[in-house]
Amino acid sequence: MTTSPEPGFEPVPIRVVLPDGQEIVGRLYARRQLPEGWVYLVSIPVYRNTTDGHVEPVEYRMWLRPQDHLRPVEGTSYDSVPTERLAPPSLVEQTLGPRRPSGWVLEKLGGRTGRSQAVLHAADCGEAPTDTPRLSLDQALDAAGRPGIRLCSICGAAQKLDPVLRGFDAESGGDER
């Protein structure tokens, strides 16, 4: 994801707030919208020592969060700055919301008689262990069919896998016509 200014684009001035609170005027090259907010590609002028012992001016570029590190320069228009915006969410994403991560996690509990020996969780369940490998749907169904394996009701593993294990007709009361 690179942002290339249009031919003939001249970067515009912007105030860069340094870690010690000083402000210097840098140059704004691009803006990019990320899921967590905006970042701006700016440069500041600095000096660099050359291998032959001289000093030369150079430009140091970095991506910065505007709300934390940048201030506008009064009287400057930022309309011409190349800007990348996130694609708007699809109608499906707007309606259904974000997708859950795929996969299932098997939490081993131990081998007490008469009790579950493991619990099957959705990958994003807060009760699922984080240090266990994810299982595919087929692996999860195989595990869920074994004795001593319980399906987590907190994350919805039971609601998601029970119809597949028992058959979809079992949920509707077995009406077969």
Side-chain angles (χ1 to χ4, degrees), residues 47-167:
Y47 291 104
R48 169 175 68 185
N49 294 102
T50 63
T51 54
D52 60 359
H54 292 92
V55 175
E56 66 181 2
V58 294
E59 184 178 70
Y60 180 74
R61 289 189 188 186
M62 68 221 104
W63 288 98
L64 296 174
R65 295 169 45 101
Q67 67 273 19
D68 298 336
H69 309 287
L70 302 173
R71 307 284 179 267
V73 171
E74 193 174 320
T76 302
S77 170
Y78 296 98
D79 294 340
S80 65
V81 177
T83 303
E84 288 183 24
R85 297 183 187 277
L86 288 176
S90 70
L91 183 57
V92 171
E93 290 172 320
Q94 289 176 18
T95 305
L96 299 178
R99 287 185 173 179
R100 292 182 81 169
S102 63
W104 304 90
V105 177
L106 190 61
E107 176 186 16
K108 296 184 180 176
L109 300 175
R112 292 193 181 139
T113 310
R115 301 187 88 193
S116 297
Q117 296 174 355
V119 179
L120 189 61
H121 300 275
D124 63 346
C125 180
E127 300 294 315
T130 55
D131 58 346
T132 2
R134 286 190 182 178
L135 304 175
S136 68
L137 176 60
D138 288 337
Q139 292 170 319
L141 290 170
D142 287 343
R146 286 187 254 145
I149 305 297
R150 179 172 60 86
L151 302 179
C152 178
S153 58
I154 295 171
C155 65
Q159 292 87 344
K160 299 257 189 233
L161 295 177
D162 265 346
V164 180
L165 289 169
R166 297 181 191 182

Side-chain angles (χ1 to χ4, degrees), residues 16-24:
V16 179
V17 180
L18 299 177
D20 65 359
Q22 292 182 68
E23 288 187 14
I24 62 172

